[in-house]
Amino acid sequence: LAGNSLNNDTAYAEDINNYDITFALSGGHLWYTDVGRLRASTGYSANTGTLFYEDGFVPFNTLYRDQTPGEWDFADKIYCKTVLDKRNTPIGTTEGYGLSQKFTLGGIIPFDFRTSDFIESVSNADFYLKLIDQPVTEEWDFIMSFMIHASYTRILNKPGMDLPDSDKTARMDGVFTGRGWSGEGYGTALLDLKAEINIPIKENLLGSTFFFDAVNIWNNDEDEGTLDIEDFKFSYGFSLGLINQMMPISFY
């Protein structure tokens, strides 16, 4: 990793040794119902780590800058998640819907050196409608589908406690949320809305998308209870790319 001197006059190549120990345990169950595949899961994870680098350097990674070299940090969390899935296929979906709700509680074991204390809720809804399914050749059909996506992330402080800045993890990355905009993080709430028209060119391999995005992120102690159209970031465009699960690369 690269680091810079404190006066930023000269760039150096500096070694940063990062040590992490992680424990995770999870489980779940799947039911097949008339309204879709219902999945419930829960899990617990814990992580402790530290890093070492020479004095006089500032790590490029902001996550490392917030840590004191040689001091061990601890973070743990427990979550529960419910998913209702009635998509016709997980890849290149053209019909159906998917709903999910996840709750996470951070800061379970009361260590003095723990760095995580938060309550997080993530709600997702996706709806798909096939508009056109017209055979063109014996091997290829022209298919056009419409998709609506809505996601809301809310991060809360525990009662009687402040929310650490490191737990304000709602983020607009400009790639998957707020496509085309510069990344923006350290949020306490995020509303992500998408509308897409998808046209597969080669099934489970190549496809094109016309999209319209609307994103609102709350940070800097903004009131999460307000919703002002002027705060939204809108974008629209066209993409062409791979639609397989292993390598979902697109050109926008």
Side-chain angles (χ1 to χ4, degrees), residues 1-147:
L1 298 173
N4 292 328
S5 62
L6 291 177
N7 58 18
N8 292 323
D9 289 336
T10 309
Y12 297 90
E14 174 65 20
D15 288 333
I16 297 180
N17 297 307
N18 187 28
Y19 299 92
D20 284 295
I21 302 174
T22 301
F23 169 80
L25 182 66
S26 62
H29 191 75
L30 175 66
W31 297 268
Y32 291 92
T33 70
D34 294 337
V35 295
R37 298 173 292 275
L38 179 62
R39 184 186 306 110
S41 61
T42 186
Y44 171 82
S45 64
N47 173 270
T48 184
T50 188
L51 53 84
F52 297 94
Y53 57 87
E54 291 184 4
D55 294 337
F57 291 91
V58 178
F60 177 79
N61 191 325
T62 56
L63 294 177
Y64 291 151
R65 293 183 201 171
D66 297 335
Q67 298 184 41
T68 302
E71 291 188 3
W72 288 83
D73 293 328
F74 178 82
D76 67 341
K77 60 185 178 181
I78 189 170
Y79 75 88
C80 58
K81 184 176 182 179
T82 302
V83 178
L84 181 61
D85 185 0
K86 201 175 183 180
R87 296 173 297 168
N88 60 340
T89 175
I91 305 173
T93 306
T94 57
E95 294 179 300
Y97 57 83
L99 307 172
S100 70
Q101 176 63 53
K102 182 179 181 181
F103 293 102
T104 304
L105 177 63
I108 308 300
I109 301 178
F111 287 153
D112 292 336
F113 55 94
R114 74 182 185 191
T115 60
S116 186
D117 280 295
F118 66 92
I119 301 171
E120 182 185 56
S121 170
V122 180
S123 307
N124 284 287
D126 296 280
F127 297 92
Y128 301 85
L129 176 65
K130 186 181 290 186
L131 303 177
I132 300 175
D133 189 351
Q134 180 64 43
V136 178
T137 67
E138 293 184 359
E139 298 180 352
W140 187 74
D141 297 346
F142 177 76
I143 297 175
M144 177 184 292
S145 64
F146 178 68
M147 186 273 286

Side-chain angles (χ1 to χ4, degrees), residues 134-165:
Q134 180 64 43
V136 178
T137 67
E138 293 184 359
E139 298 180 352
W140 187 74
D141 297 346
F142 177 76
I143 297 175
M144 177 184 292
S145 64
F146 178 68
M147 186 273 286
I148 293 179
H149 166 83
S151 175
Y152 181 66
T153 300
R154 181 72 169 93
I155 303 171
L156 301 165
N157 59 297
K158 290 181 178 178
M161 302 178 64
D162 293 330
L163 181 65
D165 289 340

